[in-house]
């Protein structure tokens, strides 16, 4: 730097010209009316053109075709209108912007359509109280929706997902901890296999359990096991269904949890180890709490996926119309399976019930999803306001304690007293 | 050039040998290691068990059928006449129809969320798209079977009337000029099933793309603007090239999901066991729909044959997912996000 020049040069700044008094600050953001009016005009022209085309000029019909033709003509009109005032690149930018906006709109309206349509069709059955307090044992397909309900399916869904979670959450989290804490060839191999298994189609997971647990093991157990071990031979049942769901959700949960754990900042881990904590203490006190919100989100989203799956349950749970709270014996139905079975029926009342249980299932998933957003959605180490306040209070408390000790040491100083052991200042706060 | 010299250090010969660092592993750590390894091994064992079982049971059927397994268009295992040719073609056709709807929608939505939407709307939209991925497939099936089917047949008729010269849009046995012709030939088609599957895979593709688009470096974006690019010019010059790997990878990920989709396809499609390229016409098949339909009445050997079909589907999905993750990791955006 210093060796570059010996001669001293001075930067001269030219005197700024007098600023013109009436200069407006240019608006560079937001959409002004110049961008908005062409959209409006093109929309009006497109509506007029399409209505004229469909009613008077051409033998076209169908609401979907009308929307498609209307949209295409809207884009065409808009291009022409914008091209009046703008050069080529600006026209392209405007047209792309309109197309991108409308694609996003289509996706959102598809979601709204799904939710609204299923709720609308399901409302007939869903708003009767008996629909959620009774099962279908007393109701035939021809009975009105005021008789019978989906209690058995709802209980089945909840039990199956609970067993599934009891299996997958501990196994999944332990496996994810293993993957992120013990890197090496073996854990790389495990990770590869787990990622491969996320590709397993859910119906194949169901087929696996159906064949291995229900048919092969079940038959073998019935023939070879003594009487008091017969309970091991589970046929089609809620437990078999939850095994199939576990096979399907386990890789999903392991993978999501692995991603979350790998996002825990390395310096937190190193700080904990540097303070003398053991590996286990570091994982239990630092890594897992830091990743808690992400782990919860992973589990809840995995749950939502598992609850909505029909195909593994279709093969393994059987189908029951009566209430069966015991997942280990007897057939047990679940909400998606009931929906699937009911809407196949030719009876409109059964279809109404199917839509009712579909709507109930969707509401359950929406609730879980909202819960996931409420709990999680924060990256590792990002604290909510309340957590921040709690940490601050803890820090203040520590600071006060240190100050107190300093003060007491200063007042009770005795020449020959042994030094205060330093290790008494440990605390759990990170 | 300035060389920094610290007096005394370099000159002094280090007489001390480097300290040996040893780790003492306490009892709690031993237990922890044991449990973690056991957990990893258990998950590995379960996954390998599933894979080996599939392979073992499927191979009995494969041995009987031989290579004709991949060329036969029928499914009648008990008389030894079965194969996945029609199934795989049907599965891929459903997935392709789904992708042809899903990819433009996903690109548009991802671009809107990452480039056009104002901040608050952005977060809401991200949640909505994720929510759409969480809606159960049986619910999409309901929508497809009861709402879309009635509306889409008109679009299908229009397509087959005007674009019927393209082989996949051809529909046999119907005269488009006949106003009284029945519409039932357009129902329960691969096309409708593909549309429903598209609704399921769009959010998955879109969220991968959005993630990648939003990582496009700010410096390059501003550079493009400073050179006078319009917004679209900037997107085309910076965002899309940067996100190309993520776009391809996300699409493949959606393809993997679309291949394995069961219930929605099963609810809509009328199964036929022949290779059927006409996507607009009634009837089609996919591997998972076949399994759902046949497992109940299948004999032991029939189940083996179903297993073999499931294995073929699994391998296809596996290859697609593997290619997807390789592309994502190798791309510029992926290399930065996976680090």
């Amino acid at each position: 730097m210093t060796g570059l020049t010996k001669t001293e040069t001075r930067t001269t700044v030219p005197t700024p010209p007098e600023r013109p008094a009436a200069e407006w600050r240019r608006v560079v953001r937001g959409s002004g009316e110049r961008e908005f009016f062409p959209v409006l005009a093109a929309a009006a022209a497109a509506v007029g053109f399409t209505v004229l085309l469909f009613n008077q000029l051409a033998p076209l019909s169908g609401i979907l075709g009308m929307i498609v033709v209307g949209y295409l003509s809207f884009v065409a009109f808009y291009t022409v209108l914008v091209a009046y005032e703008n050069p080529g690149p600006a026209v392209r930018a405007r047209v792309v912007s309109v197309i991108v906006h409308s694609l996003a709109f289509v996706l959102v309206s598809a979601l709204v359509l799904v939710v609204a349509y299923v709720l609308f069709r399901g409302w007939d059955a869903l708003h009767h109280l008996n629909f959620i307090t009774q099962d279908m044992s007393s109701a035939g397909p021809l009975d009105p929706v005021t008789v019978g309900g989906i209690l058995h399916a709802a209980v089945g869904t909840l039990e199956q997902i609970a067993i599934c979670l009891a299996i997958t959450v501990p196994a999944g989290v332990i496996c994810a901890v293993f993957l992120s804490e013990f890197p090496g060839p073996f854990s790389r191999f495990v990770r590869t296999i787990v990622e491969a298994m996320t590709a397993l189609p859910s119906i194949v997971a169901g087929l696996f359990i159906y064949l291995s647990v229900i048919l092969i093991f079940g038959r073998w157990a019935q023939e070879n096991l003594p009487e008091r071990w017969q309970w091991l031979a589970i046929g089609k049942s809620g437990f078999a269904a939850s095994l199939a769901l576990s096979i399907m959700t386990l890789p999903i949960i392991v993978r999501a949890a692995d991603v979350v754990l790998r996002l825990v900042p390395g310096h937190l881990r190193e700080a904990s180890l540097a303070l003398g904590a053991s590996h286990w203490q570091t994982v239990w006190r630092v890594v897992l709490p830091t990743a808690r919100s992400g782990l919860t989100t992973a589990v809840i989203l995995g749950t939502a996926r598992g609850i909505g799956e029909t195909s593994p349950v279709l093969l393994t749970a059987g189908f029951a119309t009566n209430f069966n709270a015991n997942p280990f014996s007897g057939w047990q139905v679940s909400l998606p399976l009931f929906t699937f079975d009911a809407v196949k029926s030719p009876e409109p009342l059964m279809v109404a019930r199917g839509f009712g249980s579909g709507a109930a299932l969707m509401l359950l998933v929406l609730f879980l999803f909202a819960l996931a957003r409420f709990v999680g959605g924060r990256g590792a180490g990002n604290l909510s306001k309340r957590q921040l306040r709690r940490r601050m209070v803890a820090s203040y408390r520590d600071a006060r304690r240190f100050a107190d000790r300093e003060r007491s040491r200063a007042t009770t100083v005795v020449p020959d007293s042994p030094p205060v052991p330093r290790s008494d200042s440990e605390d759990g706060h990170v | 050039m300035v060389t920094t010299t610290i007096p005394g250090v370099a000159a002094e010969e280090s007489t001390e040998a480097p300290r040996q660092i040893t780790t003492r592993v306490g009892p709690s750590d031993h237990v922890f290691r044991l449990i973690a390894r056991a957990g990893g091994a258990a998950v590995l064992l379960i996954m390998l068990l599933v894979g080996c079982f599939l392979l073992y049971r499927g191979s009995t059927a494969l041995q009987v059928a031989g290579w004709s397994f991949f060329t036969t268009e029928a499914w009648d295992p008990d008389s030894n006449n079965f194969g996945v040719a029609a199934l795989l073609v049907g599965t891929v056709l459903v997935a392709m129809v789904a992708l042809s709807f899903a990819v433009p929608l996903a690109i548009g939505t991802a671009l809107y969320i990452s480039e056009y939407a104002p901040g608050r709307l952005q977060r809401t939209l991200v949640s909505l798209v994720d929510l759409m991925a969480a809606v159960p497939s049986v619910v999409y099936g309901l929508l497809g079977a009861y709402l879309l089917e009635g509306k889409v047949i008109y679009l299908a008729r229009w397509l087959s009337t005007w674009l019927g010269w393209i082989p996949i849009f051809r529909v046999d046995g119907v005269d488009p000029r006949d106003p009284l012709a029945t519409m039932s030939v357009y129902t329960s088609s691969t096309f409708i099933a593909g549309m429903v599957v598209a609704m399921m895979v769009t959010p998955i593709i879109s969220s991968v793309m959005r993630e990648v688009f939003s990582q496009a470096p700010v410096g390059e974006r501003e550079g493009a603007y400073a050179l006078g690019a319009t917004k679209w010019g900037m997107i085309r010059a910076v965002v899309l090239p940067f996100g190309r790997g993520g776009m391809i990878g996300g699409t493949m990920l959606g393809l993997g999901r679309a291949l394995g989709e069961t219930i929605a396809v099963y609810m809509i499609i009328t199964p036929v066991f022949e290779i059927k390229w006409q996507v607009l016409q009634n009837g089609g098949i996919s591997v998972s729909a076949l399994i759902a339909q046949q497992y109940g009445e299948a004999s032991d050997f029939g189940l083996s044959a179903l297993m073999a079909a499931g294995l073929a589907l699994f391998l296809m999905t596996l290859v697609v997912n593997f290619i997807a993750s390789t592309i994502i990791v190798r791309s510029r955006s992926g290399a930065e996000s996976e680090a």
Side-chain angles (χ1 to χ4, degrees), chain B residues 171-259:
Chain B
V171 172
D172 297 328
V174 64
D175 178 18
R177 313 246 170 272
D178 178 9
L180 297 175
T182 171
M183 297 293 277
S184 66
V185 71
Y186 299 108
T187 56
S188 305
S189 65
T190 306
F191 187 67
I192 300 173
M195 274 181 100
V196 175
V197 174
M199 291 175 83
M200 273 176 247
V201 297
T202 306
I204 298 170
I205 304 176
S206 172
S207 58
V208 175
M209 288 188 185
R210 171 188 51 83
E211 193 77 21
V212 177
F213 288 160
S214 60
Q215 283 167 4
V218 182
E220 289 173 34
R221 285 164 187 264
E222 288 175 353
Y225 280 137
L227 289 170
T230 56
K231 189 157 210 162
W232 169 238
M234 186 279 287
I235 290 174
R236 219 181 50 175
V238 177
V239 177
L240 291 184
F242 180 83
R244 197 189 299 130
M247 284 165 76
I248 299 172
T251 308
M252 305 278 283
L253 222 55
L255 176 64
R257 182 80 194 277
L259 290 175

Side-chain angles (χ1 to χ4, degrees), chain A residues 328-379:
Chain A
F328 293 99
S329 83
W331 292 10
Q332 194 183 42
V333 75
S334 75
L335 279 176
L337 187 55
F338 179 82
T339 310
F340 174 68
D341 192 81
V343 297
K344 277 198 309 187
S345 152
E347 293 301 329
L349 286 169
M350 234 16 226
V351 174
R353 285 201 183 96
F355 269 98
S357 84
L361 176 66
M362 201 173 59
L363 290 178
L364 189 62
V365 170
L366 287 185
F367 169 74
L368 279 178
F369 191 82
L371 192 70
R373 285 287 130 178
F374 180 73
V375 176
R378 273 169 209 286

Side-chain angles (χ1 to χ4, degrees), chain B residues 105-155:
Chain B
L105 259 184
I107 294 179
T109 311
L111 275 183
Y112 180 73
I113 293 177
S114 77
E115 306 300 321
Y116 289 92
R120 218 185 136 62
L121 192 61
Q122 217 169 7
R123 278 193 298 279
T124 319
L125 277 174
V126 170
S127 306
L128 281 183
V129 171
D130 287 349
L131 173 63
M132 204 171 164
V135 171
S137 56
V138 68
V139 171
Y140 284 115
L142 284 180
L143 183 84
Y146 283 86
L147 182 68
L148 277 187
E149 185 131 37
K151 310 285 176 209
V152 171
I153 48 175
Y154 296 102
L155 183 67

Side-chain angles (χ1 to χ4, degrees), chain A residues 1-2 60-65 68 89-90 92-93 96-97 99-104 106-108 110-111 113-115 117-118 121 171-172 174-175 177-178 181-182 186 189-190 193-205 207-208 210-212 215-216 219 236 246-247 250-251 254-255 262 278-281 283 301 304-305 307-311 314-316 336 339-340 342-345 351 354-355 358-359 361-362 365-366 369 373, chain B residues 2 28-29 32-33 35-41 43-44 46-51 53-54 57 104-109 111-113 116 123 125-140 142-143 146-148 151-152 154-155 157-158 162 195 199 202-203 206 230-233 235-236 253 256-257 259-263 266-267 287-289 291-293 295-296 298 300 303-304 306-307 310-311 313-314 317-318 321 325 338:
Chain A
M1 274 276 191
T2 49
L60 296 168
S61 63
I63 184 86
L64 214 62
V68 170
R92 279 198 289 278
V96 169
S97 155
I99 291 175
V100 165
H101 275 75
S102 38
L103 284 176
V106 167
L107 193 71
V108 172
L111 174 66
L113 182 74
V114 170
V115 174
Y117 180 71
V118 174
R121 289 285 302 260
I174 289 175
C175 183
V177 165
F178 168 70
E181 291 296 321
F182 299 95
F186 180 54
F189 178 62
V190 175
I193 294 292
V194 166
E195 290 204 352
M197 288 314 272
T198 51
L200 186 77
S202 56
I203 185 103
V204 178
L207 191 62
F208 167 72
Y210 177 66
L211 203 51
S212 63
L215 290 187
I216 297 178
R219 275 184 210 159
K236 281 190 173 185
S246 306
I247 298 270
L250 187 56
V254 170
R255 200 174 170 194
R262 273 198 283 174
S278 68
H279 197 174
W280 157 245
Q281 284 168 324
V283 170
L301 291 182
R305 181 85 192 279
I307 279 190
E309 268 307 330
T310 320
S311 31
L314 174 72
L315 268 63
T316 50
T339 310
F340 174 68
V343 297
K344 277 198 309 187
S345 152
V351 174
F355 269 98
L361 176 66
M362 201 173 59
V365 170
L366 287 185
F369 191 82
R373 285 287 130 178
Chain B
V2 180
S28 65
D29 269 8
F32 169 57
R33 279 187 188 187
I35 290 178
R37 272 178 216 282
V43 170
L44 179 71
I46 295 172
M47 297 296 138
L48 284 182
L49 194 70
V50 176
F53 188 81
L54 266 180
R57 292 293 299 204
L105 259 184
I107 294 179
T109 311
L111 275 183
Y112 180 73
I113 293 177
Y116 289 92
R123 278 193 298 279
L125 277 174
V126 170
S127 306
L128 281 183
V129 171
D130 287 349
L131 173 63
M132 204 171 164
V135 171
S137 56
V138 68
V139 171
Y140 284 115
L142 284 180
L143 183 84
Y146 283 86
L147 182 68
L148 277 187
K151 310 285 176 209
V152 171
Y154 296 102
L155 183 67
R157 185 179 64 177
W158 188 84
W162 298 103
M195 274 181 100
M199 291 175 83
T202 306
S206 172
T230 56
K231 189 157 210 162
W232 169 238
I235 290 174
R236 219 181 50 175
L253 222 55
R257 182 80 194 277
L259 290 175
E261 180 47 46
T262 313
I263 282 300
Y266 183 34
M267 280 169 88
V287 175
S288 40
I291 297 177
Q293 186 205 1
Y295 83 99
D300 269 6
L303 280 172
S304 281
L306 286 181
M307 271 289 189
L311 185 67
L313 175 65
F314 176 44
T317 324
L318 193 61
N321 275 15
S325 60
E338 285 285 315

Side-chain angles (χ1 to χ4, degrees), chain B residues 43-93:
Chain B
V43 170
L44 179 71
L45 200 72
I46 295 172
M47 297 296 138
L48 284 182
L49 194 70
V50 176
C52 293
F53 188 81
L54 266 180
L55 210 65
Y56 169 68
R57 292 293 299 204
S59 65
T60 43
L62 279 177
Q63 272 164 4
V64 172
W67 286 107
S68 70
F69 183 70
F70 295 101
T71 53
T72 311
E73 287 183 32
W75 193 264
D76 195 3
D78 293 324
S79 62
N80 233 330
N81 179 28
F82 63 99
V84 286
L87 303 175
L88 290 186
V89 169
T91 310
V92 170
L93 273 182

